[in-house]
Amino acid sequence: MYPERLQESLRAVEAARAENIRFEPRRMTAQEKDELLAAYHPDYKQDAYETLKIGPNAGEKVLHELADMLQAHPRIHSGDVDLEHPDYDVDVLILGGGGAGSSAAIEADNAGAKAMIVTKLRIGDANTMMAEGGIQAADKPNDSPAIHFLDAYGGGHFAAKRDLLYKLVTEAPEAIRWLNDLGVEFDKAPDGTMITTHGGGTSRKRMHAAKDYSGAEIMRTLRDEVLNRGIPVIDFTAAIELILDEGGRAAGAVLMNMETRELLVARAKTVVIATGGAGRMHYQGFPTSNHYGATADGLVLGYRAGAKLLYADTLQYHPTGAAFPEQIFGALVTEKVRSLGAKLINREGKVFMHPLETRDVSAASIIRECTTRDLGVDTGSGKGVWLDTPMIEKIGGEGTILARIPAMHRMFAKYGIDIRFEPILIYPTLHYQNGGLDITPDGQTTNVENLFVAGEAVGGIHGRNRLMGNSLLDIIVFGRSAGRNAAEKARSATPARLTLSHADRFEDLRREAGIDSDLVSPKLLPNYTNRPSI
């Protein structure tokens, strides 16, 4: 499959494979990591940012693309819809149909609340479905939530909100039990013990997986549970503005049918934002591993309603996105490939870093190899480095790849590349929104009452960098928590008169700040054509 221009480098990789398998590259020191990140990680590229002029985070820097959406025109204003006669009236309104939203709906339903999911695509069309490598939980005798905390806290550059991270790691074992009881088919040994592996930045093997379909398996199970319970799901319908009551509390959302553009009003006693990530914003021009609808909608909705963002300036660029062939450019190559033994190799066949450094350090190392060192591989549409997948079966034995990472084998086999015998080309891809809306441990935003957030739209759980497997974990831990707490809050919540006055005030702020833009937000969907976007 590989063209002639790649053959010389490919031969160098193959010739050095036996030696590279034995070679154990050293871990970087903290100072080396800091210097590397400052020089090569996209988060440190100063000209990619601008200072927000309006809103709760005015004066702070975010990427240009996000600033455009946070400070754009609202799609609607007071008088555009009839708030007195809602189309839907529920206790808990959940915006987003991925893992966090589904977990919230299940627990709200368990608590006796009338819950409803609204999602702009279909339930399960989410980054949860695309997660591959696994979910972390310290549930083995040689591990503990305390060790898990230290790994994640250090991996996030000691910036995580400690109460959120504490909740994440201490509730992780129960999250695994809950998923297992719901029917998730985790990998298990013949005696029923769950098989666990390492991930980048972990000091213990605590990654629970369902081969490399982990997210899809979890999402399948959660979706079935939601539908079997009869929880209403409104598909192909986007939230385009939060509704507040006269007391400034979240009290519903204005919805738009994605096909007909009909506007609908959903009144609720509490609202859960579970709208996911932002990869389809293509920050700094990066490709993405994210699903089609990942356009930072929840951040925009929450921000305009007055909710504060935390660490909105930091993204995760997964070190291993597919760089060849072009048809799958940016598609995720799970970290599990490296957990099983594959190493990162430059054009000359040299191992240039430890394969299980944290994701930000790994991404920066690859970018350095392809830029300053000029040791990247020319793919024909960019640069990349090799991920030497044949090492996996040299280490783990024949059949390891088909048994442990069948999705990876299938993805590349479609293009004539058999990863059991041929290495693959990778380059960092925009993967995860580290920052998001600031919440308290109960999942409620710090400054908008009755507005809860769960999943990738939350900021602070992971600090400024996330470890593998902690995102599938946080959608369960914080999704369940948001559902329970939103249901509990709904018991005593009595919304006052509904209003969209915050959207009108936002327009006033735009004018006063001299923001001159015709953009409207939330973005809803990416636009890959020359036609006007929705």
Side-chain angles (χ1 to χ4, degrees):
M1 172 62 192
Y2 290 114
E4 182 59 35
R5 67 176 182 277
L6 300 179
Q7 291 302 316
E8 182 180 355
S9 179
L10 191 57
R11 286 191 291 271
V13 175
E14 292 169 346
R17 182 169 295 134
E19 180 182 347
N20 284 338
I21 288 174
R22 295 191 299 270
F23 175 60
E24 185 67 24
R26 70 173 180 84
R27 297 271 189 175
M28 294 183 194
T29 66
Q31 181 177 344
E32 287 173 333
K33 290 178 182 180
D34 288 344
E35 291 172 353
L36 175 73
L37 292 171
Y40 296 100
H41 195 277
D43 276 357
Y44 295 76
K45 189 176 179 182
Q46 294 305 310
D47 61 0
Y49 293 84
E50 65 182 83
T51 301
L52 289 170
K53 296 179 180 178
I54 59 174
N57 292 78
E60 298 180 17
K61 288 186 175 181
V62 298
L63 289 156
H64 297 305
E65 298 91 339
L66 181 57
D68 286 345
M69 290 295 99
L70 292 175
Q71 300 181 142
H73 292 284
R75 287 179 174 267
I76 57 164
H77 303 88
S78 295
D80 291 347
V81 290
D82 181 4
L83 298 178
E84 301 297 324
H85 300 90
D87 301 277
Y88 304 101
D89 201 347
V90 298
D91 296 327
V92 181
L93 175 65
I94 298 157
L95 307 178
S102 297
S103 296
I106 292 165
E107 290 293 16
D109 187 67
N110 274 339
K114 181 181 179 183
M116 182 175 78
I117 292 174
V118 174
T119 178
K120 67 181 175 185
L121 297 175
R122 301 165 300 180
I123 184 172
D125 287 339
N127 284 346
T128 302
M129 180 67 79
M130 304 173 78
E132 296 166 346
I135 175 171
Q136 284 203 49
D139 58 0
K140 293 294 180 71
N142 70 331
D143 202 359
S144 71
I147 299 172
H148 188 178
F149 183 100
L150 291 173
D151 286 348
Y153 196 50
H157 300 286
F158 307 98
K161 292 181 72 170
R162 285 178 289 182
D163 50 2
L164 300 185
L165 184 55
Y166 176 85
K167 181 180 181 72
L168 181 79
V169 301
T170 55
E171 296 184 17
E174 166 57 23
I176 296 295
R177 284 193 291 271
W178 185 70
L179 290 172
N180 188 62
D181 290 346
L182 284 178
V184 171
E185 296 284 350
F186 286 111
D187 295 338
K188 296 176 182 177
D191 65 357
T193 303
M194 289 199 186
I195 296 169
T196 53
T197 58
H198 273 299
T202 63
S203 60
R204 299 290 188 275
K205 292 182 177 181
R206 70 173 71 96
M207 206 68 58
H208 302 66
K211 296 183 170 58
D212 55 348
Y213 301 100
S214 302
E217 172 61 13
I218 289 171
M219 192 66 245
R220 175 196 66 80
T221 305
L222 295 175
R223 180 179 56 207
D224 285 353
E225 185 70 13
V226 167
L227 298 178
N228 288 340
R229 285 170 175 261
I231 298 170
V233 178
I234 313 301
D235 285 327
F236 298 113
T237 302
I240 61 171
E241 196 68 52
L242 291 179
I243 298 171
L244 305 181
D245 69 11
E246 288 184 317
R249 296 173 288 264
V254 178
L255 313 176
M256 184 178 75
N257 183 297
M258 294 292 285
E259 182 178 10
T260 66
R261 303 201 184 190
E262 177 188 8
L263 297 180
L264 304 162
V265 172
R267 181 168 60 191
K269 295 175 181 177
T270 57
V271 178
V272 178
I273 289 177
T275 51
R280 292 290 167 171
M281 299 285 282
H282 292 290
Y283 296 121
Q284 301 192 52
F286 269 79
T288 186
S289 62
N290 283 194
H291 82 103
Y292 188 58
T295 50
D297 295 357
L299 305 197
V300 171
L301 297 175
Y303 191 74
R304 205 149 51 218
K308 189 173 177 60
L309 300 173
L310 182 64
Y311 303 146
D313 60 324
T314 174
L315 282 296
Q316 182 166 91
Y317 299 81
H318 195 292
T320 55
F324 183 91
E326 194 171 7
Q327 295 95 319
I328 54 171
F329 187 50
L332 181 63
V333 175
T334 174
E335 193 166 302
K336 191 173 182 181
V337 175
R338 287 176 285 140
S339 298
L340 293 172
K343 292 178 182 175
L344 292 158
I345 313 290
N346 66 23
R347 187 183 69 233
E348 296 179 346
K350 303 287 180 60
V351 176
F352 60 90
M353 59 165 287
H354 192 285
L356 291 178
E357 293 283 9
T358 56
R359 286 179 172 178
D360 54 352
V361 170
S362 299
S365 296
I366 294 165
I367 292 170
R368 178 182 62 184
E369 211 70 9
C370 292
T371 55
T372 303
R373 291 184 173 177
D374 194 26
L375 290 172
V377 180
D378 185 355
T379 67
S381 56
K383 291 289 183 71
V385 297
W386 296 105
L387 183 56
D388 198 5
T389 50
M391 285 186 173
I392 293 172
E393 303 219 330
K394 298 288 185 184
I395 295 168
E398 186 177 346
T400 301
I401 284 175
L402 292 181
R404 303 294 297 278
I405 49 171
M408 288 295 94
H409 181 268
R410 189 185 73 250
M411 182 168 79
F412 283 93
K414 288 179 180 178
Y415 303 98
I417 298 169
D418 190 331
I419 68 172
R420 295 173 297 176
F421 309 110
E422 300 169 285
I424 57 179
L425 285 163
I426 58 87
Y427 190 78
T429 185
L430 183 54
H431 184 59
Y432 191 79
Q433 179 177 267
N434 289 325
L437 295 162
D438 194 8
I439 64 167
T440 57
D442 69 353
Q444 194 169 199
T445 59
T446 54
N447 51 347
V448 178
E449 191 177 353
N450 294 348
L451 180 61
F452 294 78
V453 191
E456 199 169 339
V458 173
I461 299 172
H462 310 288
R464 304 187 72 87
N465 179 61
R466 177 180 62 77
L467 299 188
M468 171 192 179
N470 279 347
S471 59
L472 282 179
L473 177 59
D474 89 47
I475 64 172
I476 304 303
V477 169
F478 286 90
R480 295 180 70 195
S481 175
R484 287 192 298 265
N485 292 322
E488 177 62 30
K489 196 76 164 32
R491 289 194 179 98
S492 58
T494 305
R497 190 173 72 86
L498 304 186
T499 175
L500 289 171
S501 60
H502 67 284
D504 301 331
R505 287 196 302 272
F506 200 81
E507 283 286 25
D508 294 338
L509 291 173
R510 292 183 82 255
R511 282 192 295 271
E512 291 167 11
I515 297 172
D516 183 18
S517 164
D518 293 330
L519 295 172
V520 296
S521 67
K523 188 173 187 175
L524 301 183
L525 293 175
N527 183 10
Y528 297 113
T529 73
N530 293 322
R531 291 178 295 179
S533 58
I534 190 169

